[in-house]
């Protein structure tokens, strides 16, 4: 896995778009309109930050499955956000599934009128 392939996968989700609010090397990927948009993936050269579950406890399953390859994200980790490494230890399919689950968790929290059509099937 690399950041280019991950970005392509993220942007294939309905309503997904990039933003770079902190002028980092890579963008974040959001869903939802404009200022109401919410981040579902933090892209980095060597990893992707995702909502790992609806709670910190659920997200900790990733830490148990891939020790040393998954870390709790700074500042927002207590809300279930993890950083997953592109080192090859986490199978690409699992990384893509993690992004898809992050997308679903974030979209489900948007007001219904701001959820993109087709999001349930993504």
């Amino acid at each position: 896995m690399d950041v280019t392939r991950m970005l392509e996968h993220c942007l294939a989700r309905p309503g997904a778009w990039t933003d770079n609010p902190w002028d980092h090397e890579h963008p974040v990927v959001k869903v939802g309109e404009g200022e109401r948009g919410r981040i579902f993936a933090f892209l980095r050269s060597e990893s992707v930050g995702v909502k790992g579950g609806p709670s910190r406890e659920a997200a900790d399953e990733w830490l148990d499955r891939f020790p040393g390859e998954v870390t709790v994200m700074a500042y927002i980790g207590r809300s279930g956000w993890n950083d997953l490494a592109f080192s090859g230890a986490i199978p690409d399919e699992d990384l893509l599934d993690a992004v898809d689950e992050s997308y679903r968790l974030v979209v489900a929290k948007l007001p219904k009128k701001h959820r993109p059509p087709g999001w349930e099937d993504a």
Side-chain angles (χ1 to χ4, degrees):
M1 181 61 63
D2 63 41
V3 69
T4 302
R5 181 170 173 218
M6 183 58 74
L7 177 59
E8 290 171 0
H9 180 78
C10 290
L11 291 176
R13 308 303 87 198
W17 54 282
T18 59
D19 193 11
N20 200 338
W22 304 289
D23 294 323
H24 284 94
E25 179 182 1
H26 299 286
V28 297
V29 186
K30 293 182 172 183
V31 62
E33 298 177 15
E35 291 183 16
R36 296 187 188 275
R38 297 290 177 249
I39 298 170
F40 71 91
F42 291 84
L43 297 177
R44 295 183 185 83
S45 296
E46 303 299 324
S47 65
V48 62
V50 296
K51 178 87 168 150
S55 66
R56 181 68 256 159
E57 292 76 27
D60 283 347
E61 291 177 18
W62 280 96
L63 298 170
D64 295 337
R65 285 178 59 202
F66 300 103
E69 301 300 317
V70 177
T71 56
V72 176
M73 287 185 69
Y75 308 109
I76 61 174
R78 68 182 173 277
S79 300
W81 287 84
N82 289 332
D83 197 40
L84 285 60
F86 294 155
S87 66
I90 303 172
D92 288 356
E93 200 60 38
D94 287 346
L95 289 168
L96 299 174
D97 288 347
V99 167
D100 292 346
E101 179 63 10
S102 181
Y103 173 83
R104 283 188 289 275
L105 289 167
V106 170
V107 173
K109 293 285 186 178
L110 291 173
K112 287 184 180 182
K113 66 181 179 181
H114 295 292
R115 295 177 191 167
W119 76 274
E120 297 98 340
D121 302 324

